[in-house]
Amino acid sequence: MGATGFISHSDCGRHDTGWGHPEHVGRIRAIPKALREHPDLFHALTHAEGRHATVDELALAHDPSYIHAIQALVRGGGGQADADTVVSDGSWDAATAGAGCVLDAVDMAMDGRALRSFCAVRPPGHHALRDRSMGFCLFGNVAIGAHYARSKHGLERILIVDWDVHHGNGTQALVEHEADIHFISMHQWPWYPGTGAAADRGPHDNVWNVPMRANLAATAYVDALRHAIDSATEGFVPDLVLISAGFDSLKGDPLGGFTLELEHIQLLTTDLVERAKRWCGGRVVSALEGGYAPERLAQASVTHMRALAEIATLAP
Ligand SMILES: [Zn+2]
């Protein structure tokens, strides 16, 4: 069994959106706090402080002019990057650390230091567009990771699974032109950001959008996502699996209407780990996206890491 990484960066806490903003620093602080209540898992994980992504690495997915505009906004003391997205004087360091943690996780999966990893990062990334921030996101952490895995490590086929309750419109926009990146997003419909219809399959039929109504039985979401994974990997064996782990798909999240419980996060994670073992030696890199009930998000992160590390969940 390969090691499982827990990758974060203290700078992710320096993206100061204010406590009134749903994407506040308390979200990420809750994760190590919850992890300490699980000493068996805590000691089993490989703990790593990620690095900062470089401008060139961000440019794998973003326009250089946009990257520099964010840098300039931060240097000027911050402000609104768009209607929903606030930037503070620590946001450049936070956002480059968020992307950099994912890149480190890819490196660790490839050199064997950690076959699988969970990156506890913020700001999230899956709404960020090539030249525009959106929906609390500055840079497309997971999309950058997919391009990096191909350019740095020569991987060909990447599978991205996004179970955040919102459509991963940014990730789709940043990867859909690459036929060998298959992107699956399951999301609430109709809901923010309004994109992600099932008929939107991307220019190479390499996108699987799974729009779902709110308040269905949790198994309906699990089954739908598994079905999409089956379809996206028919005749396509991924070299690496990336997960956009948005825990706003859990029941009770203030920004979503899905009904997943921790057991479903465990089920979906274990399913992907087992598939990844058949496909690509078990390599899985997961990164936090949304999730706006901090304690719940932290419990889900622990459950997710247990499943990544194949350490049985403790009886309640
Ligand atoms: Zn979300």
Side-chain angles (χ1 to χ4, degrees):
M1 188 179 78
T4 298
F6 173 61
I7 307 181
S8 194
H9 196 297
S10 54
D11 280 347
C12 289
R14 294 181 51 225
H15 174 58
D16 182 6
T17 53
W19 288 104
H21 193 283
E23 203 289 284
H24 59 66
V25 65
R27 297 175 61 238
I28 206 166
R29 285 185 189 158
I31 298 172
K33 189 163 169 259
L35 186 54
R36 280 194 291 273
E37 316 249 312
H38 295 253
D40 61 330
L41 176 63
F42 184 94
H43 292 295
L45 294 170
T46 298
H47 297 252
E49 174 104 341
R51 63 186 171 88
H52 293 275
T54 65
V55 169
D56 284 347
E57 287 165 344
L58 300 176
L60 290 168
H62 294 281
D63 286 347
S65 58
Y66 166 68
I67 298 167
H68 293 301
I70 291 296
Q71 199 169 25
L73 183 62
V74 168
R75 281 191 182 143
Q80 292 285 138
D82 71 87
D84 306 314
T85 314
V86 189
V87 164
S88 72
D89 60 359
S91 296
W92 174 260
D93 291 342
T96 55
C101 285
V102 176
L103 303 186
D104 265 355
V106 170
D107 289 341
M108 290 167 76
M110 296 310 298
D111 67 22
R113 274 177 294 158
L115 209 49
R116 292 184 281 282
S117 287
F118 175 62
C119 304
V121 293
R122 67 182 283 278
H126 75 153
H127 296 305
L129 298 170
R130 184 165 293 279
D131 58 357
R132 191 153 68 84
S133 58
M134 185 174 164
F136 315 161
C137 301
L138 296 176
F139 300 124
N141 305 326
V142 167
I144 294 166
H147 290 298
Y148 176 83
R150 285 164 54 87
S151 62
K152 171 81 185 291
H153 294 287
L155 301 184
E156 286 178 30
R157 291 170 302 277
I158 313 286
L159 177 70
I160 304 175
V161 179
D162 183 332
W163 67 50
D164 187 282
V165 76
H166 305 100
H167 177 228
N169 64 302
T171 304
Q172 177 174 338
L174 298 180
V175 304
E176 67 179 358
H177 57 283
E178 293 286 356
D180 281 338
I181 303 180
H182 284 194
F183 176 60
I184 302 167
S185 175
M186 179 176 68
H187 42 268
Q188 187 172 330
W189 180 277
W191 203 235
Y192 181 88
T195 48
D200 180 4
R201 296 289 323 281
H204 303 286
D205 282 345
N206 56 329
V207 173
W208 282 258
N209 278 312
V210 187
M212 301 286 286
R213 296 269 166 199
N215 295 311
L216 301 176
T219 50
Y221 302 112
V222 171
D223 291 348
L225 188 59
R226 281 176 147 174
H227 181 73
I229 297 169
D230 289 341
S231 175
T233 56
E234 216 178 282
F236 177 91
V237 181
D239 298 313
L240 174 68
V241 177
L242 297 174
I243 302 176
S244 266
F247 295 121
D248 47 9
S249 45
L250 288 169
K251 187 174 182 171
D253 190 276
L255 297 189
F258 278 7
T259 57
L260 299 184
E261 298 289 351
L262 298 181
E263 66 190 275
H264 305 109
I265 296 300
Q266 182 191 7
L267 202 65
L268 288 172
T269 309
T270 299
D271 181 53
L272 275 172
V273 167
E274 282 169 6
R275 291 178 195 250
K277 285 181 177 177
R278 295 199 295 274
W279 294 329
C280 54
R283 289 193 291 258
V284 179
V285 168
S286 176
L288 180 65
E289 297 283 358
Y292 302 100
E295 280 186 28
R296 187 97 158 123
L297 149 75
Q299 286 167 358
S301 300
V302 166
T303 299
H304 183 50
M305 285 189 278
R306 277 197 177 279
L308 288 174
E310 300 177 282
I311 295 174
T313 298
L314 298 173

